[in-house]
């Protein structure tokens, strides 16, 4: 029997809803054949990560959750801030690790020289600042959106659309999403239709790198 490539997905938003926790893993499985995902979330962060302080607080939680996985071929920290990605690489040598931020930044650079970052923080997430600083023309968050929970409202969704249109008008050739919560609400295609330029979905970006790692290990 063919063995699946096993990916451990770590969600940084706390939830007791198994369907919510599994959502990003399910999206990856649906789009990348041969991958199977096991998803877990960290405790005591109901608003996820939307500040540097919350990023720091999440790191030891992510490392602890990672220790609870068995028979994993790869880890994905499903967050555009990439918390604990480097620490996981140090703790689990030989196991590939990626996060939503570095995956999205890498793919965004393929689609244009003027990249707008759309997320939920007042700062540019670390991977975007490290990997593509010279290409970023703007880093914005939708009006009235201060955490991933705000994205779940109709007002938050509409604000995302308005901000994307604004970023396109300012010269963006591609929009790199900087919150996996935007995948959660399924807005990527809606954004692309509204602005007519590529919009890079962070969970699909994570899956792209997982698929590549699977092919490498064949």
């Amino acid at each position: 029997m063919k063995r699946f490539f096993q990916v451990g997905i770590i969600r940084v938003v706390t939830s007791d809803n198994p369907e919510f926790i599994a959502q990003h893993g399910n999206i990856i499985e649906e789009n990348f054949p041969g991958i199977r995902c096991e998803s877990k979330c960290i405790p005591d962060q109901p608003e996820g990560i939307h500040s540097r302080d919350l990023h720091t607080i999440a790191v030891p939680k992510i490392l602890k959750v990672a220790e609870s996985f068995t028979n994993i071929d790869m880890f994905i920290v499903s967050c555009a801030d990439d918390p604990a990605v480097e620490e996981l690489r140090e703790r689990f040598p030989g196991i590939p690790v990626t996060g939503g931020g570095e995956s999205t930044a890498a793919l965004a650079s393929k689609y244009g020289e003027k990249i707008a970052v759309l997320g939920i923080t007042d700062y540019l997430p670390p991977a975007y600042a490290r990997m593509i600083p010279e290409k970023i023309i703007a880093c914005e968050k939708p009006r009235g959106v201060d955490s991933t929970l705000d994205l779940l409202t109709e007002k938050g969704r509409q604000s995302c659309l308005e901000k994307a249109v604004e970023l396109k008008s300012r010269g963006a050739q591609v929009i790199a999403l900087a919150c996996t919560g935007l995948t959660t609400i399924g807005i990527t295609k809606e954004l692309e239709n509204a602005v007519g330029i590529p919009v890079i979905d962070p969970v699909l970006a994570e899956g792209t790198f997982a698929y590549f790692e699977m092919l490498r290990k064949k």
Side-chain angles (χ1 to χ4, degrees), residues 58-74:
V59 169
K61 299 176 185 179
I62 293 167
L63 294 173
K64 185 173 182 180
V65 169
E67 296 281 1
S68 70
F69 287 92
T70 57
N71 300 318
I72 291 297
D73 296 305
M74 181 175 181

Side-chain angles (χ1 to χ4, degrees), residues 144-157:
V145 173
D146 297 306
S147 79
T148 189
L149 299 181
D150 295 324
L151 295 173
L152 301 175
T153 67
E154 185 55 38
K155 183 178 179 182
R157 188 182 194 91

Side-chain angles (χ1 to χ4, degrees), residues 1 10 13 22 42 49 83 88 96 98 112 126 186:
M1 182 179 293
I10 301 176
V13 178
I42 63 174
I49 293 175
L88 286 169
T98 196

Side-chain angles (χ1 to χ4, degrees), residues 6-214:
Q6 302 290 334
V7 177
I9 306 286
I10 301 176
R11 301 289 307 276
V12 301
V13 178
T14 305
S15 174
D16 57 6
N17 182 339
E19 292 183 1
F20 176 83
I21 295 170
Q23 186 178 10
H24 294 177
N26 290 341
I27 290 170
I28 290 172
E29 289 183 3
E30 289 166 6
N31 288 279
F32 300 95
I35 293 177
R36 286 293 177 268
C37 297
E38 180 182 359
S39 301
K40 301 183 181 184
C41 69
I42 63 174
D44 304 322
Q45 291 205 206
E47 294 188 357
I49 293 175
H50 54 86
S51 71
R52 290 186 175 88
D53 286 344
L54 289 172
H55 176 123
T56 300
I57 291 168
V59 169
K61 299 176 185 179
I62 293 167
L63 294 173
K64 185 173 182 180
V65 169
E67 296 281 1
S68 70
F69 287 92
T70 57
N71 300 318
I72 291 297
D73 296 305
M74 181 175 181
F75 285 113
I76 291 176
V77 181
S78 199
C79 173
D81 243 40
D82 296 336
V85 166
E86 290 300 327
E87 290 87 346
L88 286 169
R89 287 172 177 152
E90 293 177 5
R91 185 165 297 190
F92 298 93
I95 297 180
V97 181
T98 196
E102 64 179 24
S103 300
T104 303
L107 289 182
S109 64
K110 173 185 182 298
Y111 290 93
E113 295 299 314
K114 296 180 179 180
I115 300 171
V117 177
L118 177 60
I120 62 169
T121 62
D122 292 320
Y123 59 89
L124 189 64
Y128 302 77
R130 183 181 77 252
M131 296 172 65
I132 52 172
E134 73 286 352
K135 294 186 175 184
I136 294 174
I137 65 166
C139 177
E140 303 275 347
K141 66 176 185 175
R143 294 174 183 85
V145 173
D146 297 306
S147 79
T148 189
L149 299 181
D150 295 324
L151 295 173
L152 301 175
T153 67
E154 185 55 38
K155 183 178 179 182
R157 188 182 194 91
Q158 184 60 36
S159 186
C160 289
L161 289 166
E162 292 170 358
K163 180 58 69 173
V165 171
E166 177 190 325
L167 292 170
K168 166 68 179 302
S169 72
R170 289 162 59 182
Q173 297 171 332
V174 54
I175 294 176
L177 301 184
C179 177
T180 55
L182 291 162
T183 302
T184 301
I185 65 172
I187 200 173
T188 303
K189 280 298 179 185
E190 194 174 348
L191 292 173
E192 280 201 341
N193 291 337
V195 297
I197 59 175
V199 176
I200 310 304
D201 183 292
V203 174
L204 290 180
E206 295 166 353
T208 299
F209 279 80
Y211 193 70
F212 180 75
E213 293 292 348
M214 180 187 74

